[in-house]
Amino acid sequence: MIDALDVVRHARARRMRLAVHPATGRVRLTLPRRASLAAGIAWAESQGAWIDRQRAKIPRQVALIDGAQFPFRGTLITIRWLPDAPRMPALNDDAELICGGPAESLPGRVERWLRRQALDVLREETLETAMRAMVSVERVAVGDPRSRWGSCSASGTIRYSWRLILAPDFVRRATVAHEVAHRVHMNHGAAFHRLVEQLHEDDPTPARAWLRTHGAALHRIGGA
C-alpha cells in the first residue's frame, strides 16, 4: 500500500498518471473522470519500484543545527554554535553563521534570521526595480509557499518565498524582475516577457532553469 497517496480526477485526462512531489515525496494519482478508482489504486501500487526510484532522488532534509551546511545567496555556509556567542546569528568572513543561546532553539533562530535577510534584500531589490519600471509597490512580504517563488496582487503587494535568499543572486533578481513586471502586465504575454528581460538586464531563462533543477532542494532546508 502506498503511503501519502493523493487521488484526483481530471476531466481532460485520457489515461492514468502518477507523479511524485519533488519536495515532499507525496504520490499523486490522476484519473480520467470515468476511470475505476480501485483499478487506479491497484495500478499505482504496481508501480512501487518506480515510486521508490523517484523518492530516492529527493534531496535530503537539512536541519538547521550546529555543523549543518546550506547555501546562502549561492555560497555554502556552515552553522557554528558557540555557547558564549550572542543569540542573534551573525555571518563571518569565513562563511560561518555564528550562533549562541540555547541549542534547542537554534533551528528556529537560524530560520528567522534567514527570513529577515530575505525580506531585507528582497524589499530593497523590489523597490529599486519598481523605481526603474516607474511603478509603485504597496508592500513586500515573504512566506514559505510550496507552489510558487513569488506573486503579485492587483493591489500592489508582492510576496516571495524566503527561500530565494538561499539561491544565487541572479536567480533571486530574475524573480524580482518577474514580479515587478506584473505591476505593468498582469499576464504572461510577449510584452510582459520583454519587460522582465529589460528589468533583469539579462536573459531570465537560466534563472528559471536553475529553480526547476534546484528548487526542490531549497525546500528541504530547515522547517519543511
Side-chain angles (χ1 to χ4, degrees), residues 142-216:
V142 298
D144 197 11
R146 284 290 181 181
S147 60
R148 59 179 61 187
W149 296 100
S151 64
C152 177
S153 72
S155 66
T157 294
I158 295 180
R159 300 179 184 276
Y160 299 99
S161 167
W162 70 263
R163 296 174 187 276
L164 284 169
I165 201 66
L166 308 173
D169 288 347
F170 79 94
V171 174
R172 185 187 65 254
R173 288 169 181 158
T175 306
V176 169
H178 184 107
E179 299 308 329
V180 171
H182 276 313
R183 294 291 295 130
V184 181
H185 305 286
M186 288 297 284
N187 56 59
H188 289 98
F192 166 80
H193 288 295
R194 286 195 298 270
L195 181 56
V196 173
E197 188 164 346
Q198 176 186 337
L199 293 175
H200 185 45
E201 300 179 331
D202 202 354
D203 181 3
T205 303
R208 293 196 298 267
W210 193 97
L211 283 173
R212 284 195 300 270
T213 302
H214 303 286

Side-chain angles (χ1 to χ4, degrees), residues 64-72 75-82 85-100 106-117 166:
L64 298 176
I65 59 176
D66 183 36
Q69 292 186 313
F70 60 90
F72 176 75
T75 298
L76 194 66
I77 68 173
T78 303
I79 298 174
R80 295 296 184 208
W81 177 72
L82 302 174
R87 293 171 59 97
M88 177 71 72
L91 186 62
N92 66 18
D93 293 337
D94 295 322
E96 295 178 322
L97 190 63
I98 306 300
C99 315
L106 179 61
R109 283 184 285 117
V110 171
E111 184 167 319
R112 287 192 294 275
W113 180 83
L114 287 168
R115 286 174 179 260
R116 284 193 298 271
Q117 295 293 313
L166 308 173

